[in-house]
Amino acid sequence: MNNFVFHNPVKVYFGKGQIAQIAKEIPQDKHVMLTYGGGSIFKNGVYDQVKQALKSHRITEFGGIEPNPRYATLMKAVEIVKAEKIDFLLAVGGGSVADGTKFIAAASLYAGDPWDFCSKNVRIKQALPIGVVLTLPATGSEMNGNSVITHEELTEKRAFSSPLVYPVFSVMDPETTYSLPLKQVSNGIIDTFVHTTEQYLTYPVQAPLQDRFAESILRTLLDEAPKVFHQPNDYDTRANLMWSSTMALNGIIGVGVPSDWSTHGIGHMLTAMHGLDHAVTLAIVLPGVLQVMRAEKKEKLLQYAARVWNITEGTENHRIDKAIELTEEFFNNLGVKTRLSQYEIGPDTIDTIVKRFSEPSPVRMGERGSINPERIREILTSRL
Ligand code: NZQ
Ligand code: ZN
């Protein structure tokens, strides 16, 4: 097992009725900016619960944060934060609202152009405190220090990370997810699945506990996914999906083991260029990464086949093929198409993506740094 440091400071309130707890987590003298997305929180009662909990706090609202939150929108919030001297941010919504709020928190205290966090890896030195009320299980943003921002003018989607943007607390009430459109439920399951495989399908480092954590998340998703479509208002199913998505990207399963974030890296390009949902890009790219990198990932792919899909018979090649095939079938069964051509994306896009990954110097992704622009071309071409 590799060395690691683990520190996750997020206080989690999980379960029914927990939104009421936020009042005691936000000091009374704070001026709070309540950030949200396109308005789902008004329809499912979450807004009312938040307002009720914070009835004696001073609140300014900022709505309209888009899925794949946009730099230009977030900069408008930054102006308001500065003008009104806001000193606490409360994100109410999905990963996009949480990510956007992390950006606002750091950008509001930064003198330069905050896109620097994403484009130049500028280290964040200070950020306003954040709380999250999560309504969409998927990204793990509620319990990590990551954020992904889209810069429309530059057609770029990029991530930044900082220990300073971990939420102080996050509320996860599974009942808030009953109102999710099924498409978003599928997206959340796929995002969680891929976060897990990216920290698991690499090479063995004798870390059986991390392996079993990852496998248990994957198995839980396979078991719970059909249930949520048959009984969308089953509390326990929603709770299990919600906790799985948090656990997949709060750092725990990734300590001491290699990771391969290439599926996300390539997927972000597809979203930036074609506006595809984040999880859709992952469902397209992951099977290609596993196919093209099958030799380097062989041992873990065989373990995945056996422990997650119960495939134990046949040659090694057959078992790996079958595991990749079942993975893609799982995504398809969730109603997500997994081929670029099904989204009318062709070779031109592949050329552009490969070019972007080649300049100014060729990227090297994957657990061994061996996913270079040519491999990316191979991966995407296999997904046409
Ligand atoms: O905007 P509203 O009206 O709230 O509607 C949203 C949005 O249209 C809706 N929604 C959310 N909760 C709902 C609901 N509708 C009904 N009932 C509810 N309870 O769902 C739509 C999608 O929301 P969004 O927040 O965009 O989805 P998600 O949570 O999947 O977040 C995706 C973003 O997170 C980034 C992605 O790249 C993408 O930009 N990621 C962030 C990560 C992180 N911070 O660690 C890691 C991930 O890999 C990912 O990259
Ligand atoms: Zn993701």
Side-chain angles (χ1 to χ4, degrees):
M1 196 191 304
N2 303 330
N3 288 5
F4 65 86
V5 176
F6 181 70
H7 178 76
N8 190 318
V10 182
K11 181 168 181 181
V12 172
Y13 286 92
F14 192 97
K16 290 179 195 183
Q18 295 279 40
I19 292 174
Q21 305 293 334
I22 60 180
K24 66 180 185 210
E25 291 297 336
I26 307 176
Q28 196 64 49
D29 59 344
K30 295 285 182 194
H31 182 179
V32 180
M33 176 180 267
L34 190 170
T35 55
Y36 60 92
S40 68
I41 62 164
F42 295 109
K43 295 183 202 136
N44 58 13
V46 172
Y47 174 81
D48 294 337
Q49 288 186 59
V50 170
K51 288 291 277 203
Q52 175 63 26
L54 296 183
K55 58 180 183 291
S56 19
H57 281 77
R58 184 170 171 218
I59 297 179
T60 295
E61 296 180 11
F62 183 84
I65 297 178
E66 311 84 357
N68 308 308
R70 294 182 193 164
Y71 169 82
T73 306
L74 303 171
M75 291 307 287
K76 288 183 194 151
V78 169
E79 290 306 310
I80 299 170
V81 167
K82 287 181 178 167
E84 309 229 346
K85 300 198 171 29
I86 282 162
D87 50 8
F88 197 99
L89 303 176
L90 180 65
V92 186
S96 293
V97 175
D99 282 11
T101 305
K102 290 174 180 179
F103 183 84
I104 299 166
S108 299
L109 301 179
Y110 182 66
D113 178 352
W115 184 246
D116 294 349
F117 305 149
C118 304
S119 62
K120 297 187 189 154
N121 263 333
V122 164
R123 197 168 68 85
I124 291 168
K125 297 204 177 110
Q126 45 183 345
L128 294 171
I130 303 166
V132 173
V133 175
L134 186 74
T135 64
L136 196 174
T139 61
S141 187
E142 67 280 6
M143 204 175 170
N144 69 38
N146 308 330
S147 168
V148 191
I149 306 300
T150 294
H151 198 309
E152 282 238 298
E153 278 172 44
L154 305 177
T155 2
E156 283 193 34
K157 183 176 182 190
R158 287 189 177 230
F160 70 90
S161 297
S162 166
L164 295 176
V165 298
Y166 275 89
V168 180
F169 67 85
S170 280
V171 181
M172 294 160 223
D173 177 347
E175 291 190 322
T176 65
T177 69
Y178 291 161
S179 58
L180 280 168
L182 290 180
K183 179 178 159 222
Q184 296 301 341
V185 176
S186 297
N187 281 351
I189 292 169
I190 292 171
D191 199 17
T192 305
F193 196 97
V194 178
H195 293 156
T196 309
T197 59
E198 287 180 318
Q199 298 165 89
Y200 168 64
L201 291 176
T202 56
Y203 56 84
V205 290
Q206 284 71 52
L209 181 62
Q210 289 89 323
D211 283 358
R212 298 276 187 198
F213 275 156
E215 288 153 3
S216 65
I217 294 174
L218 298 173
R219 282 285 349 153
T220 303
L221 294 174
L222 297 183
D223 291 345
E224 300 300 307
K227 293 189 208 163
V228 75
F229 292 99
H230 288 118
Q231 286 185 292
N233 286 11
D234 182 71
Y235 178 82
D236 290 318
T237 304
R238 294 291 190 167
N240 287 317
L241 288 174
M242 203 165 205
W243 191 230
S244 293
S245 66
T246 303
M247 286 300 291
L249 205 54
N250 67 0
I252 290 262
I253 69 168
V255 295
V257 299
S259 55
D260 167 12
W261 299 103
S262 59
T263 301
H264 269 70
I266 301 169
H268 288 335
M269 288 285 189
L270 288 171
T271 298
M273 290 175 65
H274 294 279
L276 297 187
D277 286 358
H278 172 59
V280 169
T281 69
L282 307 177
I284 295 170
V285 177
L286 179 71
V289 169
L290 300 183
Q291 267 303 349
V292 170
M293 302 309 294
R294 60 189 289 152
E296 290 192 12
K297 295 180 185 293
K298 183 175 133 190
E299 283 155 291
K300 292 304 278 290
L301 277 169
L302 288 168
Q303 183 177 325
Y304 171 65
R307 293 193 188 170
V308 176
W309 294 106
N310 299 318
I311 305 164
T312 51
E313 312 225 314
T315 63
E316 290 183 344
N317 267 336
H318 166 80
R319 280 180 270 156
I320 291 173
D321 278 337
K322 192 75 196 154
I324 298 173
E325 189 187 310
L326 289 175
T327 305
E328 188 167 356
E329 201 175 293
F330 176 60
F331 299 156
N332 293 147
N333 289 340
L334 289 167
V336 174
K337 299 189 189 96
T338 44
R339 292 278 167 179
L340 289 168
S341 49
Q342 292 170 311
Y343 299 92
E344 283 158 29
I345 296 174
D348 290 2
T349 293
I350 300 180
D351 289 342
T352 310
I353 292 179
V354 171
K355 190 157 177 273
R356 291 240 188 137
F357 277 123
S358 307
E359 292 164 356
S361 54
V363 290
R364 302 181 64 80
M365 294 192 281
E367 63 272 25
R368 292 188 174 88
S370 58
I371 304 186
N372 57 20
E374 270 325 296
R375 282 251 169 94
I376 293 170
R377 180 182 294 287
E378 232 183 296
I379 289 164
L380 286 171
T381 305
S382 77
R383 304 308 301 157
L384 279 169

